Amino acid sequence: MFRSLKRFNYRTWFTGALISNVGAWMQSTALAWTVLTVLTDNDATALGLNMALQFAPQLLLVPISGLIADKYDRRKVLLVTQSAMGVLALVLGVTVTAGIVELWHVQVFSLMFGVVQAFDMPARQAFVSELVGQDDIANAVALNSASFHGARLIGPAVAGVLIALVSPGPVFLINALTFIAMLVALVRIRAAELQPSPRGAKGLGDIVQGFKYVRKRHDLLIIFLMAFILGTFGLNFPIYISTMTATEFQADADVFGLLSSAMAIGSVTGALMSARSSRPRWTFLVGGIGMFVFACSLAAWVPNIWLFGAALALAGFTAQLFMTNANSMVQLTSAPEVRGRVMALYGAVFMGGTPIGAPIVGWVADAFGPRWGIMVAAVTCLVAFIVGAIYWVRVRRDDRMSRTGTLTLPPPTESTNIVK
């Protein structure tokens, strides 16, 4: 399960990322609570707009960000992006602590942070293969997810307590400090032990190759469609949890943080379960999003906050089954020379839909109540489940027919390495 941690480079990366991820979750919690309760009067639409500003650049900048991830040294790209995000967190922390923050300040910060994230994400995702090599990509991706959501156990709870005791400002300042851990890790990585992928991008003319590559891969198109629906409407949990906490259960920031941590328990479990498998599985991918629909429906209508926390844990577990297996499948089956551009496209599809979904979910929560906001996730992800299930059934049927000699299939591609 933890075989990637035997490598010095990945172990160093994992440690730095874990510390940085704690800060990231602290910032996410503080940002949502600041917008919802400090700068507005429980305005879920404003919170949705803020999320849209943060994730829109991933969609708009995908051609350039993917090209950079494939053309330049990914470690150097990450040194730049991680430094920039640390500076942005520091500036916001000073602004909030000084008591001069306004809503437009937070919106500008979210937009700038999103621009940097747009370049950070594909380079970070593709860099994993350089740390561990092709054989351990699936395990490393799963452990990355466990690190990210393990930090979610700590970050939101700590942020909630700090907000309740002091104010949101120090939370942003602490997050700025955690970026130092990631920078130290990147510097300490042994360049001689990296396994760099071939550089398949040389200029702007190579941008379209990533699009053409994905267009020819039906399996990737199905994964991208499912990820788009989940990312656009299903994963707006800063809105779901904060609005349910503040308006439905009449609770404070510390409870908001604890509920976010409850969801992380399920997410970590899902990531570790995926790490046990050497290959991503369509079973987990389709089954995960199907169970996510059930978890969201449960979360929308439970009568008390304790059952809501349990439903969030189930939602975290099921969503993580899908996300970890989808990420591994995309990386493992993509040609190394276009992996950065494919991962940029995947990130744009997965998170780039947030500018569409978050304002819609926020408006529904304002107009009809937070429970109906969660039902938007359940209904739309049901569509994703149906699409994935139909494709999965057809692939299994064709596979059985090919083994019995009743169907002639084309020569196998890289995607045939995937466990059904």
Side-chain angles (χ1 to χ4, degrees), residues 47 232-245 256 292 296 308 312 357 361-362 365 370 372-378 380:
L47 182 57
T232 300
F233 299 105
L235 296 182
N236 294 297
F237 280 95
I239 298 176
Y240 302 146
I241 299 176
S242 60
T243 54
M244 288 288 285
T245 301
F256 172 44
F292 179 78
C296 286
F308 182 64
L312 288 177
V361 168
W372 283 106
I374 302 176
M375 283 304 297
V376 172
T380 54

Side-chain angles (χ1 to χ4, degrees), residues 254-394:
D254 53 346
V255 175
F256 172 44
L258 289 174
L259 287 173
S260 298
S261 296
M263 186 174 182
I265 294 174
S267 299
V268 172
T269 306
L272 292 177
M273 181 176 175
S274 299
R276 295 177 62 88
S277 177
S278 60
R279 295 280 180 176
R281 296 174 179 269
W282 271 96
T283 311
F284 290 159
L285 205 141
V286 176
I289 202 165
M291 293 173 63
F292 179 78
V293 172
F294 170 76
C296 286
S297 301
L298 187 65
W301 302 113
V302 290
N304 62 63
I305 200 167
W306 301 105
L307 290 177
F308 182 64
L312 288 177
L314 180 60
F317 173 77
T318 54
Q320 196 57 47
L321 279 183
F322 173 85
M323 289 188 290
T324 303
N325 282 272
N327 189 306
S328 298
M329 203 172 290
V330 173
Q331 288 212 54
L332 195 60
T333 67
S334 296
E337 61 270 17
V338 296
R339 185 171 290 146
R341 280 162 287 177
V342 172
M343 292 310 299
L345 280 171
Y346 177 73
V349 167
F350 189 41
M351 302 306 297
T354 302
I356 302 169
I360 293 174
V361 168
W363 176 80
V364 171
D366 280 337
F368 304 101
R371 294 184 185 275
W372 283 106
I374 302 176
M375 283 304 297
V376 172
V379 173
T380 54
C381 288
L382 178 60
V383 176
F385 167 73
I386 292 171
V387 170
I390 291 173
Y391 177 80
W392 181 44
V393 169
R394 287 180 176 176

Side-chain angles (χ1 to χ4, degrees), residues 87-296:
V87 171
L88 287 171
L90 177 63
V91 172
L92 181 63
V94 171
T95 304
V96 175
T97 303
I100 60 175
V101 66
E102 297 180 15
L103 184 59
W104 73 268
H105 293 151
V106 176
Q107 291 171 341
V108 170
F109 165 81
S110 295
L111 180 61
M112 295 178 66
F113 203 82
V115 169
V116 180
Q117 276 186 318
F119 292 96
D120 181 83
M121 191 284 297
R124 179 162 34 87
Q125 298 276 17
F127 189 56
V128 172
S129 63
E130 298 187 22
L131 293 169
V132 299
Q134 187 78 5
D135 292 341
D136 285 333
I137 286 180
N139 179 256
V141 168
L143 291 179
N144 280 354
S145 296
S147 166
F148 184 70
H149 293 285
R152 195 175 186 177
L153 290 169
I154 304 170
V158 173
V161 171
L162 284 175
I163 293 170
L165 293 178
V166 190
S167 71
V171 176
F172 298 111
L173 296 175
I174 292 172
N175 177 51
L177 290 175
T178 63
F179 280 101
I180 296 175
M182 195 69 252
L183 294 173
V184 170
L186 287 167
V187 171
R188 291 192 65 218
I189 285 174
R190 298 168 181 169
E193 296 179 14
L194 291 174
Q195 302 180 46
S197 303
R199 291 291 180 252
K202 299 178 181 179
L204 294 177
D206 295 316
I207 290 177
V208 296
Q209 288 185 2
F211 292 91
K212 290 181 178 179
Y213 181 84
V214 172
R215 189 180 62 188
K216 295 177 181 178
R217 292 279 305 277
H218 293 168
D219 55 336
L220 291 186
L221 289 174
I222 294 296
I223 295 172
F224 278 34
L225 177 59
M226 296 171 70
F228 173 77
I229 295 173
L230 178 65
T232 300
F233 299 105
L235 296 182
N236 294 297
F237 280 95
I239 298 176
Y240 302 146
I241 299 176
S242 60
T243 54
M244 288 288 285
T245 301
T247 62
E248 195 70 26
F249 298 121
Q250 304 293 313
D252 296 323
D254 53 346
V255 175
F256 172 44
L258 289 174
L259 287 173
S260 298
S261 296
M263 186 174 182
I265 294 174
S267 299
V268 172
T269 306
L272 292 177
M273 181 176 175
S274 299
R276 295 177 62 88
S277 177
S278 60
R279 295 280 180 176
R281 296 174 179 269
W282 271 96
T283 311
F284 290 159
L285 205 141
V286 176
I289 202 165
M291 293 173 63
F292 179 78
V293 172
F294 170 76
C296 286

